[in-house]
Structures are given as structure tokens and as C-alpha cells.
Amino acid sequence: MGLFNFFTQEIAMDLGTANTLIIHNDEVVVNEPSIIALNRNNMKEVLAVGKKALMMHEKTHESIRTVRPLKDGVIADFNAAELMIRELIKMIYPKKPLFPPSWRMVICIPSSITEVEKRAVRDSAEQAGAKEVYMIHEPMAAALGIGIDVEEPVGNMIIDIGGGTTGITVIALAGIVCDQSIRIAGDEFTADIMEALRRYHSLLIGERTAEQIKINVGAAMKDLDNPPDDLPVNGRDLVTGIPKQIMVSYQEIAEALDKSIFKIEEAILKALETTPPELAADIYRRGLYLTGGGALLRGLDKRLSAKIKLPVHVADDPLKSVVRGTGLALKNYQRFPFIMR
């Protein structure tokens, strides 16, 4: 087995709806949007993946198709997912190695995933060249990545606001005690922004522009301590059909996102209601941890702590906390009980 181990390389992968990150040798080597551009005439031919494919998204002609293989945190397009994983793994080694290594992979999956969806992740990874595939639930990985000791008998609540789903999980003794998962997250916020601009400014914008608005002026509250500047937004006027530009302020975006954030608050309250009382006492002392890309929304922590009346901590670099935890799980894949074979 010594020779086999020599050729086995280990990677940890966070396969997300919006971004896919890969850790190899303790550093994030791949951090790309989960999107792939394929040739329509030959669907096995990959034209671009990651950032390059995102540049093409919504700007394609009829012989190019851009696909986001993951929807709501699970694989929606099996072939595209397999091609994307394969291309992203190729990015780790820019020069082609003499002996292509066999991979040992740890992949994170949402905690609300069904057996069929889990199987799809495993099959995609194996098709892309993984010898051994291990899986870990995303909230567990996020907790490890934040730096929480998950094995001690203390309750921690992790709120992971990703691209497709928001997972609200209570963790204790290296296991998941209760979890709520709702399909309201980054993509839903983007859709809300598109809808708001269409309704109030009769301006039609694409998904990518809405995403940029969310990143630059996205907010969860109307009064922020250091508000961002207004952002010029270009799109097509629905009345005249001519492209035009408007200025968008963070207050408008906070208004647009209000309903979706309210639903996330409801889900958190619902999760707290089902928490056993001893763990609830721990959560009162420790507060809630926010992670995932949605945690970067300005003022979200303040808004949640005002509603729930508990302290809310945002993980540092919340986009990478899940993949960091997956990297830790990879190092100790024999020791941690919650890693699934």
C-alpha cells in the first residue's frame, strides 16, 4: 500500500451552488464560481469553467451554453457537474503530471440532502477521478472552520447562508442535533434585487449585474453605521427598450431583501424552538455563528441579533470557513466520527 499512498493526493472540496473551493496541501488552490460553459453541438466539450465561464454567462450565442450544475445546494445537472469537478481538479496542477494521482476527496454536502442527491455527489466525484470519497455535512465543516471544538458537549448554533440554501444547525458532541434548511439564500437575494429594479425603475438587469449590486450595496438594514456609496447600474429600460443607467442606494436594496431576510429570521426562531433546553442554555451564552457568503451582507448580524436578542458572531472570511473545516476533516478523516464513507 506504500506505493499507492505515494500516488494518493488528498483534496478537500466545498461544492457550492455559487462557488466551489478546493484545498490541497493546506491552502486554497481553487476558488471559482460553480459554472461551466459547454459547446451546445457537443455537450462533452468544455469551453470554459469558473471565472471565465462566469464572464460568458448570459452573454452567449446559440452554440454556447453556460450551466450552473448545482441548484439549491444539490446537483441538478449530473454531466455538467462531473465535467466541472474534473476541470477544477485539473487547475490544481497547471502542468500535467507524469503519473496522474488518485485522489482522496472529502466533499461537503448540505445536511438536508437526500440519499439520492448524496449518491449523485459521490458518483460525480468518482467519475472525475476520485478513488476514495468521504463526505461531511456543511454545518459540521463550517463549525470546524470557525474554530469551534465540535466534540465537546456544548451546543453551538451555526447559520450558513450559502448560494442556494440557508442551513440553521445546532451542533453538539460531534453530531447534528437539529437542523432547519430553507431554500432562501444568495440566489434568492439576487432574484429579489432583479425584481425590485424591474418593479420600481422598470429596468431589466441580468443575474450578474444583480449579483454585483448585492456585493457592492447589499444591506439588511436601512440605517447602517458606514453606508456604501450609491452604485450606477446599467440595464435595459422596459418602457423604451433602450439601455439606461440609474443610481441605486443601499436603502432600496435593504427594502428589496427585507422579505427574504424575514423568512431566514423565522427559520432561526423555528430552529431555536426545537432545540433541547440544555443546548438552548449554551446557545444563550455563546450566541449564534454566521457563515457563508450571505454573512457578508451589511448589517445582517445586527438585524438578526436585534430580532433574536442573542449575540451574533460573523466568522472571519465566512466564504472560506466551510472549506477550511473540510480541510481539517481531511487531515483527521479517520478520527472524526461524523465523516461519512
Side-chain angles (χ1 to χ4, degrees):
M1 283 308 277
L3 189 67
F4 176 68
N5 288 347
F6 178 68
F7 288 123
T8 304
Q9 296 277 358
E10 302 189 322
I11 48 178
M13 181 185 276
D14 171 15
L15 198 59
T17 311
N19 296 297
T20 295
L21 296 94
I22 298 179
I23 278 191
H24 179 55
N25 293 340
D26 295 346
E27 54 193 76
V28 179
V29 281
V30 175
N31 180 1
E32 296 280 330
S34 303
I35 183 165
I36 183 169
L38 301 168
N39 184 348
R40 248 183 218 281
N41 308 322
N42 171 16
M43 291 303 268
K44 286 272 179 267
E45 186 191 333
V46 179
L47 300 171
V49 67
K51 295 185 184 74
K52 284 202 183 103
L54 189 65
M55 303 283 237
M56 301 179 180
H57 187 46
E58 296 186 324
K59 295 187 180 184
T60 55
H61 48 78
E62 66 266 18
S63 60
I64 295 180
R65 173 167 172 246
T66 53
V67 192
R68 292 181 63 185
L70 286 104
K71 185 125 187 64
D72 297 332
V74 294
I75 291 177
D77 183 329
F78 188 77
N79 293 334
E82 177 204 318
L83 288 168
M84 186 181 78
I85 294 172
R86 186 170 293 181
E87 292 298 315
L88 290 172
I89 289 172
K90 274 186 201 159
M91 284 184 186
I92 300 172
Y93 287 123
K95 329 187 274 298
K96 210 167 186 303
L98 185 60
F99 299 106
S102 55
W103 299 104
R104 177 183 296 130
M105 279 191 212
V106 178
I107 302 181
C108 22
I109 51 174
S111 47
S112 58
I113 197 168
T114 62
E115 279 301 318
V116 178
E117 291 162 341
K118 197 148 99 179
R119 192 65 194 271
V121 175
R122 168 162 308 204
D123 289 353
S124 301
E126 280 170 357
Q127 291 288 323
K131 278 278 186 296
E132 304 172 54
V133 182
Y134 298 98
M135 307 205 191
I136 176 173
H137 283 311
E138 266 162 23
M140 275 315 218
L144 283 170
I146 295 170
I148 295 169
D149 181 4
V150 289
E151 299 184 86
E152 59 183 13
V154 177
N156 289 296
M157 185 176 243
I158 313 285
I159 302 162
D160 180 10
I161 307 178
T165 51
T166 293
I168 300 143
T169 319
V170 177
I171 286 174
L173 290 168
I176 290 170
V177 181
C178 51
D179 77 318
Q180 280 283 329
S181 172
I182 52 170
R183 306 232 151 157
I184 289 171
D187 288 348
E188 193 71 24
F189 294 158
T190 308
D192 288 342
I193 291 171
M194 286 163 76
E195 175 62 26
L197 289 187
R198 209 189 76 201
R199 183 172 293 162
Y200 300 119
H201 297 281
S202 56
L203 184 78
L204 208 56
I205 57 168
E207 213 176 284
R208 282 174 52 198
T209 308
E211 181 90 28
Q212 278 325 110
I213 296 172
K214 182 175 74 182
I215 291 166
N216 291 316
V217 292
M221 294 165 75
K222 290 212 179 108
D223 43 331
L224 294 177
D225 298 339
N226 41 357
D229 299 338
D230 291 5
L231 186 75
V233 175
N234 313 332
R236 190 177 88 216
D237 190 331
L238 278 169
V239 183
T240 61
I242 301 167
K244 73 167 182 179
Q245 183 179 65
I246 57 162
M247 297 301 281
V248 173
S249 71
Y250 79 93
Q251 275 109 341
E252 282 179 66
I253 303 302
E255 173 82 24
L257 300 180
D258 185 63
K259 275 204 182 87
S260 294
I261 294 171
F262 179 70
K263 285 181 188 155
I264 289 177
E265 291 172 343
E266 293 286 274
I268 295 172
L269 291 170
K270 204 162 151 196
L272 286 167
E273 277 168 22
T274 59
T275 309
E278 284 296 334
L279 295 177
D282 290 336
I283 291 168
Y284 179 78
R285 280 202 304 278
R286 294 214 164 181
L288 318 174
Y289 294 94
L290 264 187
T291 164
L296 293 167
L297 206 60
R298 297 167 184 78
L300 182 61
D301 50 340
K302 281 216 183 70
R303 175 168 170 170
L304 291 179
S305 64
K307 169 91 178 190
I308 297 161
K309 303 181 179 57
L310 293 174
V312 175
H313 316 288
V314 179
D316 33 63
D317 201 2
L319 281 166
K320 293 204 180 111
S321 58
V322 171
V323 76
R324 264 202 243 101
T326 314
L328 286 170
L330 176 66
K331 280 211 201 84
N332 308 318
Y333 74 100
Q334 268 124 351
R335 188 170 73 86
F336 284 143
F338 46 78
I339 290 176
M340 293 160 282
R341 309 259 164 222

